[in-house]
Amino acid sequence: PPRPPAMKVLLACTALASGLQSNLPTQPLPLATRRLVAVPRGVDVALPSRHARASAGRSSPCCMALAAADDAGQQLDLGALGRYFFAVLMQLIALTFAFGVLDSAGYASPLGPLPAPAAGGVFLAISLRSRVFSSLDDSAPEERVTATAAEDEALEAALRPDGGGGKPMKKTALRAECEARGLSVDRTMPAEMLQARLRLYFESRARQAAAAAAAITPSWAPSEDSLSLARAAAIAPLHALASCLVYSSSTGRLNEGHFNDPVLLWLALHLCLEDTLRTAQAAEGRVGAAVPGSALVCLSALYAAKQYSDVAPAAGALLALAATWNAVAAAAATDTWRLNN
């Protein structure tokens, strides 16, 4: 009997779908071409957004890897900027509170405020260890990793598609391996997501090692050890001496021997910015933040020197001399970026 028109349309759609399926590649497309896919005319394909892939990554390691690749390609991490802003704000509030406690203790004591030499010791300690007041984790990535190189090789073999010839790893073992490498995990994550995080960790570490080996540094730039030694031996004492002069000159402007001086807080802001930049570069590996971050730190040092100079010209000159260290670091970061880009 003749087929009804609806049946003819259904058979035609089935044949078209079968033909399209036989012409599509069976292998997955590489990440680099995931946005450029040839689709036959008349076929609507809805590709998931990055936000949808990140949400689906809780159960799909492939989607999580795509989301991580998109995140790595971003030029500006607004979430990290917000976190750094609040870290600087909280550190500055903590330093202001510490200064207020010192002022209250000095005024309540029958001996009065701290003398200038003792105040200089306080300023020296804050200049050297201002990171104590920061809420960011400034430990280096290698300090958070407790796994050895042999354990990494064995884990990489176990994470291969063939399983390295052994049994599949359980969820508890995968979570322990993530924690041993400083990765943030919780008990709700499935085993597939833990495996994906470990694979991304090894891939990222290999890329960072290759980038570090290929990086070009200026021949004139001082080493990190030299900068650290100069900061401890010269910059911190200059900060302390300049702040001690401002502390001594607070008589007449504020209460005698006032730590919580708005002029002194400009140096505290500079130290907060410097600590945040050091954490972003050394602890979190954000090399791209070196150029604008070092420039911002250098400008904050120069502005603090201007504020010091308005109160005590000698203090401003000493702080401007200390700012040369920040200028050298900013120039080295800019020249390094130029050579590698």
Side-chain angles (χ1 to χ4, degrees), residues 72 74-77 80-81 84 208 211 277 279-282 284-296 330 333-334 336-338 340-341:
Q74 288 182 351
Q75 298 297 323
L76 183 62
D77 192 344
L81 284 180
Y84 296 150
Q208 291 176 359
L277 175 63
T279 300
Q281 286 185 257
E284 300 183 3
R286 296 182 181 271
V287 184
V291 176
S294 57
L296 180 61
T334 304
T336 301
W337 178 85
R338 180 187 63 82
N340 290 275
N341 292 272

Side-chain angles (χ1 to χ4, degrees), residues 311-340:
V311 174
L318 291 174
L319 205 59
L321 182 61
T324 57
W325 177 85
N326 301 106
V328 170
T334 304
D335 202 15
T336 301
W337 178 85
R338 180 187 63 82
L339 292 175
N340 290 275

Side-chain angles (χ1 to χ4, degrees), residues 239-251:
H239 285 173
L241 183 56
S243 300
C244 189
L245 293 177
V246 174
Y247 177 82
S248 301
S249 68
S250 60
T251 304

Side-chain angles (χ1 to χ4, degrees), residues 2-14:
R3 297 187 179 94
M7 182 63 71
K8 293 181 180 180
V9 174
L10 181 59
L11 292 176
C13 292
T14 304

Side-chain angles (χ1 to χ4, degrees), residues 135-162:
S135 59
L136 298 175
D137 183 10
D138 62 343
S139 59
E142 56 270 14
E143 296 178 2
R144 298 192 294 266
V145 177
T146 59
T148 62
E151 292 174 346
D152 285 344
E153 294 179 2
L155 181 59
E156 282 189 279
L159 291 175
R160 293 171 186 167
D162 56 358

